[in-house]
Amino acid sequence: MLTPGPMNDGEAIALALREAKSAAARGEVPVGAVLLGADGALLARDGNRILERKDPTAHAEMLVMRAGAAALGNERLMGSTLYVSLEPCAMCAGAMAMARIGRLVFAACDPKGGAVLHGPRFFEQPTCHHRPAVTQTEPHALEAGEILREFFRARRS
């Protein structure tokens, strides 16, 4: 269901968390993403589909950026905001820079695979040509972390 009109940060990150839960229900690592256009309107929403598509690049962030670019008819997503349930990896951070995402909002940190606040800190590198504004939303980090923990706990059982 696409929401008419602009969405706020709370609504968008809540939708990304719902997409993460949907990904988990499909057996995918539960990461969800939402892309809002410069006007705050919903352009795309999705969760990981790596297993489903047999595609190592089918991360939630990549899927919503592709869909958003298609919806806008432009490879540049200037002024858009990408919401994701987990700190993006290096591949996704690189794609965000190439797409000129205006703002990134994520819930849970990923000390092992994240590339924004952890690991290579992609946007801090001198070779990064575009740096979105980055916000980690603490209130949603606990819920996002619990979705991931439950998913991996169930897989180990």
Side-chain angles (χ1 to χ4, degrees):
M1 172 181 133
L2 298 181
T3 306
M7 296 177 77
N8 64 38
D9 284 357
E11 292 168 328
I13 202 73
L15 186 54
L17 292 169
R18 285 198 296 277
E19 290 295 332
K21 290 175 185 175
S22 294
R26 293 190 302 272
E28 301 277 359
V29 173
V31 177
V34 167
L35 182 67
L36 300 186
D39 62 355
L42 181 61
L43 292 175
R45 60 189 263 193
D46 213 335
N48 278 353
R49 293 183 183 275
I50 297 160
L51 299 173
E52 174 186 313
R53 295 187 179 184
K54 309 289 188 265
D55 178 358
T57 70
H59 291 199
E61 302 96 307
M62 300 294 285
L63 297 173
V64 299
M65 284 188 283
R66 288 177 188 139
L72 294 175
N74 193 332
E75 73 281 4
R76 299 286 189 234
L77 299 169
M78 305 289 285
S80 64
T81 303
L82 181 72
Y83 297 84
V84 64
S85 60
L86 184 66
E87 178 182 355
C89 70
M91 174 184 69
C92 293
M96 284 178 228
M98 298 303 283
R100 306 300 194 261
I101 296 288
R103 187 167 165 244
L104 165 65
V105 179
F106 69 90
C109 284
D110 185 359
K112 185 175 179 183
V116 177
L117 299 182
H118 297 88
R121 297 178 184 254
F122 188 88
F123 300 128
E124 295 176 19
Q125 299 307 310
T127 54
C128 181
H129 300 293
H130 174 79
R131 294 164 179 83
V134 176
T135 303
Q136 194 236 339
T137 173
E138 297 275 337
H140 298 92
L142 292 174
E143 182 179 356
E146 185 53 36
I147 293 167
L148 286 157
R149 279 188 295 280
E150 178 56 35
F151 175 79
F152 287 111
R153 189 179 305 123
R155 287 188 68 166
R156 285 190 297 271
S157 298

